[in-house]
């Protein structure tokens, strides 16, 4: 009986791993699911950026690095972003193990996909929308404290000595003279402590 039920489910394009699941699914009258896009597309998107001095909206969807930044409904060019927003985006990019990649050579047929954690991928895409790419960075990662459930933060240390680090671009006055630069991302309560 279960095998026949499984065959009927397959004809309706439902795949089940365990045979007893057919019985449970057959008796269900309603199935509720979260429709945020994370379940169906495994994609997250940065839509707002907050820093102590500004709040900005970010447009675009999925992992395609196309979108704009808006402050009070006024579009802001990536070069004109406040230093605090640039620093936030670059920290999200550099303190990250995810990356996005493209397939297809032509602009019209190019598709993007993310490799890594969806949350981290969203940060990489937000940075790319502002023109920041991990490959463009002359910094060398020297150390990493990976994210864990107890610390709730990730820390990376980059070597800045001998690099063409644009301190104005990072918004850090003394970064060009410091041999190392540490960046942290994580839960606000843990990072602020």
């Amino acid at each position: 009986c279960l095998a026949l039920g499984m065959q009927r489910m397959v004809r309706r394009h439902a795949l089940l791993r365990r045979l007893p699941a057919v019985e449970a699914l057959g008796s269900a009258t309603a199935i509720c699911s979260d429709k945020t896009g994370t379940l169906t597309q495994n994609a997250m998107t940065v839509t707002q950026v907050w820093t102590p001095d500004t709040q900005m909206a970010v447009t675009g969807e999925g992992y395609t690095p196309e979108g704009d930044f808006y402050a009070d409904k006024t579009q802001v060019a990536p070069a004109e972003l406040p230093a605090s927003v640039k620093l936030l985006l670059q920290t999200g990019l550099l303190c990250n193990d995810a990356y996005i990649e493209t397939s297809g050579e032509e602009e019209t047929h190019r598709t993007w996909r993310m490799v890594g954690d969806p949350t981290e991928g969203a940060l990489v895409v937000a940075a790319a929308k502002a023109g920041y790419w991990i490959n463009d960075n002359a910094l060398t990662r020297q150390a990493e404290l990976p994210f864990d459930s107890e610390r709730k933060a990730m820390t990376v240390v980059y070597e800045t000595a001998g690099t063409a680090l644009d301190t104005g671009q990072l918004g850090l006055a003394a970064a060009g003279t410091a041999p190392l630069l540490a960046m942290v991302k994580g839960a606000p309560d843990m990072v602020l402590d």
Side-chain angles (χ1 to χ4, degrees):
C1 185
L2 289 177
L4 291 174
M6 178 72 88
Q7 288 176 351
R8 290 182 67 194
M9 296 294 280
V10 168
R11 273 188 245 124
R12 294 181 182 182
H13 306 293
L15 295 177
L16 299 169
R17 209 180 314 171
R18 294 182 192 87
L19 211 53
V22 174
E23 184 178 7
L25 194 56
S27 63
T29 56
I31 299 174
C32 300
S33 176
D34 177 18
K35 185 60 182 99
T36 61
T38 305
L39 288 177
T40 56
Q41 298 176 359
N42 195 28
M44 296 181 82
T45 306
V46 172
T47 59
Q48 295 284 321
V49 174
W50 290 285
T51 64
D53 61 346
T54 190
Q55 176 182 351
M56 303 193 88
V58 184
T59 63
E61 293 182 2
Y63 296 119
T64 303
E66 296 171 358
D68 298 309
F69 293 84
Y70 289 88
D72 296 324
K73 298 183 181 182
T74 303
Q75 187 174 348
V76 179
E80 297 170 2
L81 290 172
S84 61
V85 174
K86 289 179 181 180
L87 180 60
L88 178 69
L89 293 171
Q90 290 178 343
T91 300
L93 175 67
L94 295 171
C95 192
N96 206 317
D97 289 326
Y99 61 93
I100 56 173
E101 61 185 17
T102 182
S103 63
E105 298 297 321
E106 299 177 26
E107 294 262 341
T108 56
H109 294 86
R110 184 175 291 175
T111 58
W112 294 87
R113 73 179 194 103
M114 184 274 310
V115 178
D117 181 72
T119 305
E120 289 193 344
L123 298 175
V124 170
V125 172
K129 290 175 184 177
Y132 301 123
W133 296 87
I134 194 71
N135 299 345
D136 296 342
N137 218 304
L139 300 174
T140 304
R141 188 182 286 191
Q142 295 298 309
E144 174 184 333
L145 290 171
F147 181 91
D148 65 49
S149 58
E150 188 174 314
R151 191 167 166 261
K152 296 182 183 172
M154 175 183 185
T155 304
V156 291
V157 178
Y158 283 90
E159 181 180 0
T160 61
T163 65
L165 179 64
D166 182 358
T167 59
Q169 185 182 31
L170 275 175
L172 302 172
T177 60
L180 298 173
L181 174 66
M183 297 181 152
V184 179
K185 81 168 182 339
D189 54 332
M190 302 302 278
V191 171
L192 291 175
D193 284 348

